[in-house]
Amino acid sequence: MHEHDSDRSHEIAVVGAGPAGLTAALLLKAQGFDTVLVGPRPGADPRTTALLTGSVNVLGAAGAWDRASAHAAPMRTMRIVDATRRLVRAPEVAFEAGEIGLEAFGFNIENDRLNEALLAAADAAGLEWVAEPVVGVVDAGDRIELETEGGRVRARLAVAADGARSFMREAAGIGVRTWDYPQHAFVTIFGHTGPHHDASTEFHTPSGPFTVVPLEARRSSLVWVEKPENLAWIETLNDGELSREIERRSHRLLGKVTVEKVRGAIPLGGMVARKLAAHRTVLVAEAGHRFPPIGAQGLNLGFRDIAGLVEILVAARRKGDDLGGAATLSAYKRSRKADIESRTLAVDLLNRSLLSEFLPASAARGLGLYAATRVGPLRRFMMREGLTPSLGAPRLSRGLPLG
Ligand SMILES: Cc1cc2nc3c(=O)[nH]c(=O)nc-3n(C[C@H](O)[C@H](O)[C@H](O)COP(=O)(O)OP(=O)(O)OC[C@H]3O[C@@H](n4cnc5c(N)ncnc54)[C@H](O)[C@@H]3O)c2cc1C
């Protein structure tokens, strides 16, 4: 990584060195933009991410997929098991990637391994990096100035990839809309004696889904949604007790279970920013929207923000437009509106139907899943739309070069 010259003004400063920020900075540099990354090196991240096809394309363009893929587990089958005792129960549904001509629906990876691959790509690309947090922001008219502890970074445009509690979003005066679900998610990673056959399984229980997703070797990640009172009990379990409970709840599908060190609980809620750009700042990934970890949408949507942004900036440069000017910011907001709004609605509906004990919603879900098992075209549509929305996906997400 290169030293930063604080007297020079850059075209673009990307703030936040998580998976979104590293990817954005790599793609922008690859397109020839004078780019600097600003933010501390990523610390240990207990999350895992199921990367769908569009994200794999984006990581490929960023030069990180070859390294990441060695640690990613393919998801070739997605199984949904109704483990409720409701009146209207959905039949078991299994989706096979082969049915829509894909090798895998996506690839599950620990965020730590993903970050390692991105860090290696950043090194190889000689990415310019100020490894300090931004502590102040000044909109200086024709540029934006970012204060760090050790100095100042100037750019035409700031790309805020500084996560759900984005400092940059607040500095740009952008508010958020938030909502909560009554459940919490307990997450952990575990080893198991049986093979996972590259299948993820979602058990629907009365208090929420219990989902196991394959990781590399004989390991899987778990997202276990529960009411807060049950979660308090889960947190009292020691490793052996927790392993046996996971074995029982996963119907011993994976053999003997041994939990690893990583475990944590997250309140389930969502957040979307009221707008995606202001004051020479654009929001990408969790700085702009955060979803519960159900439905594998969070970072995948974030990678589409980044792919869309790169496309708009390349077009702006061709036209000679100011990269952080009003026209460019409006183009970004317009281009991302439909995708973010439709995903927010879809994820919210999915969560409400999964998390609700209300009979009409569960009946509708039962009927919907039933229809999906029977009706070939509907089933294929659901599978495709879950992977990458066909309408208006950015070129880099579709694996296409920029014009
Ligand atoms: C249990 C769990 C499972 C999930 N599963 C999936 C999944 O299957 N599929 C999916 O797509 N998504 C999933 N997600 C969501 C996904 O993990 C997140 O969307 C993604 O990690 C967010 O990446 P990010 O780079 O936007 O933010 P972050 O990873 O939060 O990175 C933000 C970075 O900004 C830095 N930063 C913060 N403040 C400043 C500052 N002032 N100056 C400079 N830098 C700053 C931080 O240090 C950090 O490095 C899951 C989430 C959870 C919790």
Side-chain angles (χ1 to χ4, degrees):
M1 275 150 267
H2 285 174
E3 284 298 301
H4 175 247
D5 170 4
S6 59
D7 290 334
R8 197 161 64 80
S9 187
H10 299 266
E11 285 183 300
I12 302 168
V14 177
V15 180
L22 283 161
T23 304
L26 282 164
L27 285 175
L28 290 164
K29 183 171 166 62
Q31 289 300 324
F33 289 104
D34 171 9
T35 307
V36 60
L37 178 64
V38 189
R41 281 180 77 84
D45 184 341
R47 295 173 292 187
T48 60
T49 299
L51 298 165
L52 305 180
T53 313
S55 300
V56 167
N57 291 336
V58 168
L59 287 168
W65 179 242
D66 281 351
R67 290 181 182 91
S69 63
H71 303 288
M75 295 161 57
R76 298 187 211 278
T77 306
M78 292 197 296
R79 202 184 296 127
I80 302 176
V81 179
D82 194 339
T84 61
R85 285 185 205 87
R86 286 183 178 130
L87 233 46
V88 185
R89 283 179 60 159
E92 182 174 325
V93 188
F95 298 117
E96 300 290 338
E99 284 180 56
I100 51 169
L102 288 178
E103 180 208 343
F105 288 114
F107 297 85
N108 196 37
I109 187 167
E110 289 157 81
N111 280 17
D112 280 344
R113 301 287 91 73
L114 177 59
N115 283 338
E116 276 164 21
L118 287 161
L119 289 169
D123 246 341
L127 188 67
E128 198 168 327
W129 187 346
V130 178
E132 291 173 2
V134 172
V135 292
V137 180
V138 180
D139 179 348
D142 64 347
R143 60 174 191 237
I144 185 162
E145 296 187 356
L146 309 174
E147 282 170 35
T148 66
E149 276 149 18
R152 200 167 266 252
V153 177
R154 300 176 178 85
R156 301 292 256 180
L157 174 73
V159 177
D162 53 346
R165 286 196 224 115
S166 174
F167 176 82
M168 294 297 294
R169 183 183 65 222
E170 211 178 308
I174 301 176
V176 296
R177 180 169 73 81
T178 58
W179 63 97
D180 292 314
Y181 303 98
Q183 282 87 344
H184 283 52
F186 176 80
V187 295
T188 188
I189 291 174
F190 60 92
H192 39 82
T193 52
H196 49 49
H197 297 297
D198 301 337
S200 77
T201 309
E202 211 169 291
F203 298 90
H204 290 174
T205 78
S207 43
F210 178 100
T211 308
V212 289
V213 189
L215 280 172
E216 61 174 328
R218 289 198 172 182
R219 297 163 71 235
S220 292
S221 55
L222 169 71
V223 180
W224 178 357
V225 174
E226 268 297 349
K227 294 175 186 153
E229 57 270 28
N230 297 348
L231 192 89
W233 166 75
I234 298 168
E235 288 188 308
T236 64
L237 301 178
N238 66 30
D239 286 358
E241 291 163 341
L242 179 62
S243 301
R244 282 194 294 281
E245 191 59 29
I246 294 172
E247 242 167 73
R248 193 176 71 74
R249 292 196 179 234
S250 57
H251 301 195
R252 297 191 171 75
L253 204 65
L254 298 166
K256 193 169 159 39
V257 163
T258 310
V259 290
E260 296 184 2
K261 290 264 167 293
V262 184
R263 51 152 109 179
I266 346 163
L268 288 188
M271 177 277 289
V272 275
R274 296 208 180 270
K275 50 185 171 179
L276 271 193
H279 293 291
R280 293 192 172 270
T281 303
V282 291
L283 311 182
V284 297
E286 285 208 333
H289 41 76
R290 190 170 70 84
F291 298 145
I294 302 169
Q297 293 300 324
L299 190 54
N300 289 296
L301 183 62
F303 282 141
R304 291 205 294 283
D305 294 342
I306 293 164
L309 175 67
V310 174
E311 204 170 316
I312 278 163
L313 293 175
V314 167
R317 177 174 58 189
R318 201 179 302 125
K319 284 187 278 177
D321 284 352
D322 178 353
L323 296 179
T328 311
L329 264 51
S330 299
Y332 176 67
K333 284 193 275 194
R334 266 198 316 277
S335 77
R336 296 304 302 143
K337 191 171 160 37
D339 191 13
I340 292 175
E341 280 178 1
S342 69
R343 288 294 117 177
T344 305
L345 187 66
V347 171
D348 187 40
L349 284 175
L350 175 73
N351 282 283
R352 284 190 198 288
S353 81
L354 294 180
L355 304 181
S356 152
E357 285 187 279
F358 187 53
L359 181 65
S362 75
R365 184 169 59 81
L367 294 173
L369 289 181
Y370 182 68
T373 57
R374 285 302 173 94
V375 187
L378 172 63
R379 178 173 168 158
R380 278 193 294 278
F381 174 77
M382 279 178 63
M383 289 160 74
R384 279 192 190 284
E385 286 297 297
L387 296 179
T388 194
S390 39
L391 282 178
R395 290 181 67 84
L396 287 172
S397 303
R398 286 185 279 148
L400 302 172
L402 295 180

